[in-house]
Amino acid sequence: MAGYIVLGFGFGVLLASKGYGPGWAFLMSFFIYAGSMQYVAIDLITSGATLITTAIMTLMVNARHLFYGLSMIDRYRHTQPYKPYLIFGLTDETYSLVCSGEVPTGIDQNKYYFYVTLLDQIYWILGSLLGSVLGSIVAFNTTGIDFAMTSLFLVVFTQQWLDTKNHSGAVIGVFCSILCLWLFGPDRFLIPTMILITFLLTVLKKQLENEESHD
């Protein structure tokens, strides 16, 4: 809640600084609901980007969700009637909570997934609205606000590192990111990184599972 309200607040402030009111903040957070892409969408909207440009940019920014989805196939296999919304609402933080969080004793697993996803979106919408309303009233210096998403990714990564003993997957992710950043540059490294990470994790799957079982 704390993370999403703060991040949503930053989005709302940036959106208000471009002249778009709370209604836009609510609709974008309700229908798009893609934190980092919503930050990027502000510049796309204000620059008059074409639909093709917007589609390509969205694919690049949210490419990681393709791999999130693949890893959730078994977990979400028998989650009807919640499955459509669970697929729509699978964000970075929800993915982290669903994968690493333990379902409370006596609680239906599918309902747990649903309420985690729903509450995360509610928090994001609330933060967006608060930021948009306040941003429309008070003039903010928006320099650096868009770094909030990067900060959250670092916090999620750090927390998962601290919560697990086996860091092989994290090391692979960092290595692939640095390598692809060096090879392809900051504007084109994301998709190659995701592909390389997926390939290495698939090849090393049995070895990594053995390491986890020994831990």
Side-chain angles (χ1 to χ4, degrees):
M1 179 183 68
Y4 259 0
I5 286 182
V6 170
L7 291 171
F9 185 89
F11 164 72
V13 169
L14 283 176
L15 193 62
S17 70
K18 302 297 184 180
Y20 292 89
W24 282 93
F26 172 79
L27 290 174
M28 290 180 70
S29 296
F30 185 84
F31 288 107
I32 300 176
Y33 186 44
S36 54
M37 187 57 215
Q38 285 183 227
Y39 275 80
V40 175
I42 296 174
D43 291 329
L44 293 176
I45 292 173
T46 55
S47 65
T50 65
L51 289 176
I52 294 178
T53 300
T54 302
I56 294 174
M57 181 63 71
T58 302
L59 177 62
M60 292 180 63
V61 173
N62 284 339
R64 65 193 184 282
H65 290 275
L66 294 171
F67 304 97
Y68 288 172
L70 288 174
S71 67
M72 298 300 287
I73 289 176
D74 290 333
R75 196 180 296 266
Y76 281 177
R77 188 178 301 278
H78 304 293
T79 54
Q80 296 290 5
Y82 308 113
K83 184 184 287 187
Y85 180 68
L86 294 178
I87 295 172
F88 165 77
L90 187 61
T91 60
D92 300 286
E93 293 69 30
T94 300
Y95 176 82
S96 178
L97 287 172
V98 169
C99 286
S100 61
E102 295 184 2
V103 179
T105 304
I107 301 298
D108 180 77
Q109 179 176 271
N110 292 346
K111 288 185 177 180
Y112 173 78
Y113 294 157
F114 171 72
Y115 284 119
V116 167
T117 306
L118 177 63
L119 287 172
D120 278 350
Q121 185 174 15
I122 290 174
Y123 300 145
W124 178 265
I125 292 173
L126 180 60
S128 300
L129 287 173
L130 289 173
S132 180
V133 171
L134 194 58
S136 301
I137 299 173
V138 181
F140 282 92
N141 182 351
T142 59
T143 303
I145 288 182
D146 52 354
F147 188 73
M149 291 301 301
T150 304
S151 300
L152 180 63
F153 292 149
L154 291 174
V155 170
V156 171
F157 176 84
T158 303
Q159 188 61 51
Q160 289 187 333
W161 181 282
L162 294 174
D163 289 343
T164 58
K165 295 180 180 179
N166 186 354
H167 305 309
S168 299
V171 172
I172 289 173
V174 172
F175 169 77
C176 292
S177 300
I178 294 174
L179 177 63
C180 290
L181 179 63
W182 177 65
L183 290 174
F184 300 100
D187 297 327
R188 298 182 179 87
F189 84 103
L190 187 58
I191 293 179
T193 299
M194 295 294 102
I195 294 173
L196 182 58
I197 289 174
T198 303
F199 172 76
L200 290 178
L201 290 180
T202 301
V203 171
L204 301 173
K205 180 180 179 182
K206 291 185 177 180
Q207 180 180 337
L208 294 174
E209 289 177 346
N210 289 334
E211 291 179 2
E212 289 183 0
S213 62
H214 290 147
D215 290 339

